[in-house]
Amino acid sequence: MSGQEAAEEATPSLSARSTARWRTFVRTETSSAVFLLAAVAAALVWANVGPHSYEAMWQARFTVGFDTRHLSLTVHEWINSGLMSLFFFVVGLEARRDFDMGELRDRRWLLLSTIAGLGSMIVPALIFVAVNAGRESVHGWGTAMSTDTAFALGVLAVFGSRLPASLRAFLLSVSVVDDLVALLVIAVFYSAEIRLPALVVAVCTLLAIALLRLAGVRRALYCAVLSVVVWVALHEAGVDPVVAGLAVGALVAAYPAPRGDLEQASRLFRLFREQPTPELHRSAVQGLDAAISPNERLEQRFLPWVSFGIVPLFALANAGIELSGSALADAFASPITLGIVFGCVVGKVIGTVGSMAAARLLSGGRLRPNVGWGSVTVGGAIAGSAFTVSLLIASLAFDGEELEEARIGILVTLLGAFLTSWAVTAVIGLLPDRRRARALLGDVDPLTDLAVPVDRRHDRIRGPESAVVTVVEYGDFECPYCGQAEPVVRDLLGQENDVRYVWRHLPLRDVHPRAQLAAEASEAAARQGRFWEMHDLLLERQDALAAPDLLRYAGEIGLDVERFRQDLRDHLGARRVAEDVDSADLSRVSGTPTFFINGRRHHGAYDIAALTRAVELARQRALTG
């Protein structure tokens, strides 16, 4: 390859950079909130410029079926009860992943999240009831209970640089409880008379889906058909069928990609590479799919459609309100609007902080949040943004002018939650460094993802023994991503004097045939006190890791080459490498590079900015402990 060709390959085109920027934008929570707000604005403009066309659009009827066996709903109902089932399906997937792999693995945190979620819903409902006491509108108490997860995560992303990453897990945990309880409220208090035979059909079909999952049946078609049966049965039972989405999503297990499945996928791909036939192509695709948990595959497939299609469409169909001076004046004098605004913006903070404080007090300190009380307060303020589920409940609880007043109240909570969150975050930012860190991070030891702790007598460690932060990397000397991460780690160690770095071997032999020998070569160098010199050289020259290359490198760094050759021939480093691989399996590591920072798995990018921020958060948490 010529120098010019290499430069052209290394420098992405303008269109490629634009595409990458667009994909980055689309994958952030901020962008989904932007789409949501854009849809709200469009609905308001449409409803005020052409109110008749707006109503006609959503009240048009759409029928599925034939003869007497058909389902006829308005477009508005298809969106609210049909498409929104997919929204709750994604919520169920995220809830299950958090339960299997996230913060909810600690069942104490599961209990505390349940308590906080209930508190953040009960207090707003009580405020709404107090404001509407003695009026018929009191039956709409459910509109003040729920948090809009998409908007809440969007607000969190805006303040993200000032808040701990664990606050996102806190918000998601509480939001999951919020959505579960909200759907239960819809099913019990805002559904029509329940017809038992159809409900039994729905429950039995859900059990069938669960049994298919337990039996390891991966065919999505079976579960999709059964999910439609659940939806129709719930609709016929008089229960809002959006419940089906959450229930089905919660049944889909999440787990890291097993190394055995990844190796099988590699074998199948190699067979296809040798003989590119349709049959081997199908086998390779199935092998790749099998290596990723169905939870992750389904969320990746549906999340973009939900975030950038279904939720904005829901907003467009439900947020259209005719705004006028008199209408706004009536709304802000209405107990419905005031009950929703005060219930969400004030009640969420009181309910979240108060319930968690009560749980800690009554449990003698055994139940404590994984974040500081400042973060809990910010989380409660952000949770005051009511939209999706609140609009859903409002459409069931109210009609006419009361529905318009409820919608105005729900829209106001978006602004109120943002301003309250900004104010609380600003106050925390004024605190001295140590108090601010404690307010944000708390004093609870976080979950540890690293199964085998760092041992200075065994591990390959670079950096001061007394370092506050320990970064562990499972790496492969032939892995190009490990090569890209190496300069980042060097920069991190160069600018931080209280960070130590640990390298653990994970040679991916199914895709990197020279990785095992390179790992053993580094251990042979370690036997002569030159591990890090060999480590750096191997990552710098990843395209040349054959045995003659390794012998040449041994000479370059001043090793006894004959002894090095004999150690390689006898595979003296193989046991040490195997121990690292076993520890990777215990920590459910299947790919490289995988980083752990003070025992917690680092998710996301491993550029210098991302790793520096993760290290800084780990340092702050360690100093507050």
Side-chain angles (χ1 to χ4, degrees):
M1 179 184 293
S2 70
Q4 182 178 354
E5 290 172 334
E8 289 175 354
E9 183 173 311
T11 306
S13 66
L14 180 61
S15 61
R17 291 198 302 270
S18 299
T19 301
R21 282 197 296 269
W22 168 247
R23 287 177 178 169
T24 301
F25 171 76
V26 165
R27 287 172 183 167
T28 63
E29 286 92 2
T30 308
S31 60
S32 62
V34 169
F35 274 72
L36 177 61
L37 289 177
V40 171
L44 291 172
V45 171
W46 187 2
N48 285 273
V49 173
H52 297 298
S53 63
Y54 181 83
E55 287 299 323
M57 172 67 186
W58 309 118
Q59 293 308 313
R61 190 159 288 275
F62 185 72
T63 303
V64 174
F66 52 89
D67 294 335
T68 58
R69 300 293 181 181
H70 66 270
L71 188 61
S72 182
L73 301 173
T74 64
V75 174
H76 186 267
E77 290 170 331
W78 278 114
I79 292 171
N80 285 18
S81 296
L83 292 181
M84 286 302 290
S85 296
L86 292 176
F87 167 80
F88 285 108
F89 174 68
V90 172
V91 171
L93 292 174
E94 187 143 16
R96 179 59 186 266
R97 189 175 68 254
D98 208 27
F99 184 85
D100 290 340
M101 300 169 57
E103 297 289 335
L104 295 185
R105 287 175 300 154
D106 184 344
R107 300 313 183 217
R108 292 176 303 171
W109 181 238
L110 174 62
L111 176 59
L112 190 57
S113 297
T114 303
I115 293 170
L118 290 173
S120 72
M121 300 181 80
I122 292 172
V123 172
L126 290 176
I127 290 176
F128 184 92
V129 169
V131 174
N132 287 269
R135 297 179 174 87
E136 290 186 6
S137 57
V138 74
H139 74 280
W141 51 270
T143 55
M145 295 176 65
S146 189
T147 295
D148 185 85
T149 306
F151 188 82
L153 293 178
V155 173
L156 181 61
V158 172
F159 299 118
S161 60
R162 290 179 267 175
L163 298 171
S166 50
L167 181 55
R168 186 180 189 275
F170 166 78
L171 261 180
L172 281 175
S173 300
V174 174
S175 294
V176 165
V177 177
D178 188 297
D179 288 328
L180 284 169
V181 175
L183 288 183
L184 183 63
V185 166
I186 290 173
V188 175
F189 296 99
Y190 296 104
S191 292
E193 181 181 351
I194 296 177
R195 291 177 283 279
L196 191 58
L199 184 61
V200 170
V201 171
V203 172
C204 290
T205 309
L206 274 174
L207 289 174
I209 295 174
L211 290 174
L212 285 176
R213 289 294 181 191
L214 288 174
V217 177
R218 291 178 173 268
R219 292 297 297 271
L221 179 61
Y222 300 149
C223 291
V225 171
L226 291 174
S227 299
V228 172
V229 173
V230 174
W231 189 92
V232 173
L234 287 175
H235 181 273
E236 294 301 310
V239 177
D240 195 304
V242 292
V243 178
L246 188 69
V248 173
L251 293 175
V252 183
Y255 48 81
R259 202 153 52 88
D261 288 352
L262 291 173
E263 291 171 354
Q264 173 66 7
S266 296
R267 286 193 291 271
L268 292 171
F269 180 79
R270 282 199 301 272
L271 289 173
F272 170 72
R273 176 66 183 85
E274 293 165 357
Q275 291 291 329
T277 65
E279 293 78 15
L280 291 177
H281 170 266
R282 184 164 54 252
S283 297
V285 170
Q286 290 173 350
L288 290 171
D289 282 345
I292 303 298
S293 75
N295 184 292
E296 291 177 284
R297 283 190 285 110
L298 288 169
E299 183 175 17
Q300 186 175 21
R301 184 176 301 168
F302 284 102
L303 183 59
W305 293 100
V306 168
S307 297
F308 306 109
I310 292 174
V311 172
L313 182 60
F314 172 84
L316 188 64
N318 287 272
I321 306 167
E322 290 189 56
L323 298 177
S324 63
S326 60
L328 291 174
D330 291 342
F332 284 105
S334 164
I336 295 176
T337 304
L338 296 176
I340 292 172
V341 172
F342 284 110
C344 291
V345 177
V346 179
K348 285 285 184 179
V349 176
I350 296 173
T352 303
V353 177
S355 61
M356 297 189 88
R360 175 168 182 165
L361 180 65
L362 295 175
S363 67
R366 290 189 297 275
L367 292 177
R368 292 180 291 173
N370 326 11
V371 292
W373 290 105
S375 292
V376 171
T377 306
V378 175
I382 292 175
S385 51
F387 191 75
T388 309
V389 180
S390 291
L391 281 177
L392 197 60
I393 295 176
S395 66
L396 298 171
F398 301 114
D399 53 31
E401 291 184 5
E402 289 187 338
L403 179 56
E404 298 300 301
E405 292 167 356
R407 286 174 173 173
I408 290 175
I410 290 167
L411 292 178
V412 171
T413 66
L414 301 181
L415 179 60
F418 181 85
L419 293 177
T420 306
S421 306
W422 174 81
V424 175
T425 305
V427 171
I428 294 173
L430 297 176
L431 297 174
D433 290 347
R434 194 175 186 86
R435 291 188 62 188
R436 182 171 66 251
R438 194 173 188 85
L440 292 173
L441 299 170
D443 56 359
V444 176
D445 293 332
L447 285 173
T448 299
D449 299 313
L450 189 66
V452 179
V454 174
D455 185 347
R456 62 183 179 83
R457 295 167 298 180
H458 175 79
D459 279 305
R460 305 304 179 196
I461 301 175
R462 174 180 265 171
E465 178 64 30
S466 59
V468 175
V469 179
T470 299
V471 177
V472 176
E473 177 185 356
Y474 280 95
D476 172 320
F477 287 116
E478 200 176 352
C479 167
Y481 301 108
C482 295
Q484 293 170 18
E486 174 61 15
V488 175
V489 172
R490 295 268 195 94
D491 288 347
L492 184 66
L493 293 173
Q495 68 182 7
E496 303 286 354
N497 56 14
D498 59 352
V499 175
R500 64 175 180 167
Y501 168 71
V502 179
W503 170 275
R504 287 182 176 175
H505 301 287
L506 184 59
L508 305 179
R509 292 185 288 185
D510 56 317
V511 289
H512 298 144
R514 296 186 178 90
Q516 176 69 26
L517 186 61
E520 293 181 22
S522 69
E523 291 303 321
R527 295 174 68 84
Q528 299 186 43
R530 293 286 191 275
F531 173 82
W532 288 110
E533 290 89 337
M534 181 64 78
H535 165 277
D536 297 346
L537 206 53
L538 293 175
L539 286 174
E540 181 182 327
R541 303 177 185 177
Q542 291 182 306
D543 56 342
L545 297 178
D549 300 313
L550 301 177
L551 292 173
R552 188 172 70 256
Y553 301 156
E556 286 185 28
I557 62 176
L559 298 182
D560 181 335
V561 177
E562 197 53 45
R563 179 185 170 189
F564 178 85
R565 185 199 309 270
Q566 188 62 42
D567 287 349
L568 273 185
R569 183 180 296 118
D570 294 341
H571 298 286
L572 295 185
R575 180 177 178 180
R576 174 70 175 69
V577 173
E579 289 173 352
D580 280 358
V581 172
D582 289 342
S583 75
D585 289 339
L586 291 173
S587 297
R588 306 176 85 177
V589 176
S590 54
T592 57
T594 297
F595 290 94
F596 293 82
I597 300 176
N598 278 4
R600 291 301 304 270
R601 185 190 294 262
H602 172 71
H603 295 282
Y606 43 85
D607 54 62
I608 188 63
L611 281 180
T612 299
R613 182 165 183 266
V615 165
E616 181 58 30
L617 286 173
R619 179 191 292 109
Q620 291 179 11
R621 187 179 290 279
L623 292 176
T624 60

